[in-house]
Amino acid sequence: FFFVDDDVCKKPSFLLIETKMMQKILCLFLWVRSVNAAELCTDCNLVDMSEASYIVSPSSGDTSCLFSSTKIPNVDDEGAFMGFITPLPQGFTFQVFPGSNEKFVIVFRGGSPLTYTDSVLSTFVDALTTGGVGESVSVVPFPIADDAGGVYSRDGFEGNPYSDYTVVSISQCTGDLHLGDTEATFDTAGILGFPLSVSYKGKNNAHSAFDWIDRNKADGG
């Protein structure tokens, strides 16, 4: 368990290679989760969903966000090496706004592609100070608010022809436009002091959501 004090939450600093790094990342992760009251579940079934929306964590399928497995060296205040830590361990999830089990809308969330060393490096540094939530790209699954409107509007909202559909919103936390199924290592040793390994698993992530839809459709697949 980590104990997060108010100063950590109010004053996020540059988090790279700090002994208190995990404290601060936990604080930021809790903030991301707090913006939406969606229920969190693992491979839950549509027929059991009664809340406005659910954050579904797939139990299989080799899913990941860009930096979910990225390890960096951790040192103490005197520079002594203390092993490796995973600063952004948040895995892939998708969000479900439950409705009919016969009609589905799939939303592929947007975000900038991250395929060059400079873009991956700057995103990684930004992620450490924002918890992974950025203006143009998020490397953690950022939930949609239950009252977001548009295609997410429920309860027969007459401006939304899909208000009785089940909406499956697929996070794009990989920087690969939902297309990747590979690992990559970027040469950032000259800048960070270590190479940066990332996971491009957008294709696998999307297919885990497709598999969930297949299991929950009225005809069973």
Side-chain angles (χ1 to χ4, degrees):
F1 293 91
F2 295 94
F3 296 92
V4 182
D5 58 49
D6 288 341
D7 288 340
V8 169
C9 294
K10 292 176 183 176
K11 301 176 182 178
S13 60
F14 184 70
L15 307 180
L16 189 58
I17 314 179
E18 284 189 31
T19 52
K20 291 187 177 181
M21 184 179 197
M22 293 306 293
Q23 256 191 348
K24 297 181 180 181
I25 290 296
L26 177 62
C27 169
L28 290 162
F29 170 70
L30 292 175
W31 174 79
V32 169
R33 287 287 296 118
S34 72
V35 300
N36 187 287
E39 295 289 321
L40 179 64
C41 60
T42 301
D43 277 343
C44 41
N45 295 316
L46 180 59
V47 294
D48 299 323
M49 293 182 172
S50 58
E51 302 298 326
S53 72
Y54 289 77
I55 305 296
V56 180
S57 177
S59 59
S60 60
D62 190 24
T63 61
S64 176
C65 288
L66 187 65
F67 300 122
S68 295
S69 302
T70 301
K71 297 183 183 301
I72 68 172
N74 190 25
V75 299
D76 63 19
D77 293 337
E78 294 166 5
F81 178 66
M82 298 176 62
F84 289 90
I85 59 174
T86 305
L88 292 163
Q90 170 75 14
F92 169 74
T93 59
F94 57 91
Q95 190 169 357
V96 174
F97 292 76
S100 170
N101 66 350
E102 297 180 339
K103 301 179 290 185
F104 292 82
V105 171
I106 300 174
V107 178
F108 290 92
R109 302 277 296 278
S112 302
L114 299 169
T115 56
Y116 296 98
T117 299
D118 288 348
S119 62
V120 172
L121 174 60
S122 62
T123 300
F124 180 68
V125 173
D126 287 346
L128 293 178
T129 57
T130 65
V133 181
E135 291 185 9
S136 61
V137 61
S138 295
V139 293
V140 297
F142 190 74
I144 297 292
D146 291 341
D147 60 354
V151 73
Y152 301 105
S153 300
R154 308 280 87 187
D155 300 326
F157 178 66
E158 66 179 46
N160 176 22
Y162 307 106
S163 62
D164 62 336
Y165 284 52
T166 290
V167 179
V168 179
S169 178
I170 303 176
S171 305
Q172 207 265 104
C173 62
T174 46
D176 62 5
L177 306 180
H178 304 283
L179 299 173
D181 181 15
T182 190
E183 311 278 340
T185 300
F186 292 87
D187 183 10
T188 55
I191 302 172
L192 296 177
F194 54 89
L196 200 56
S197 297
V198 301
S199 298
Y200 291 113
K201 297 291 182 179
K203 176 183 175 182
N204 297 1
N205 294 349
H207 277 272
S208 73
F210 301 160
D211 290 344
W212 182 88
I213 292 172
D214 283 341
R215 293 195 304 273
N216 285 276
K217 287 193 304 186
D219 59 5

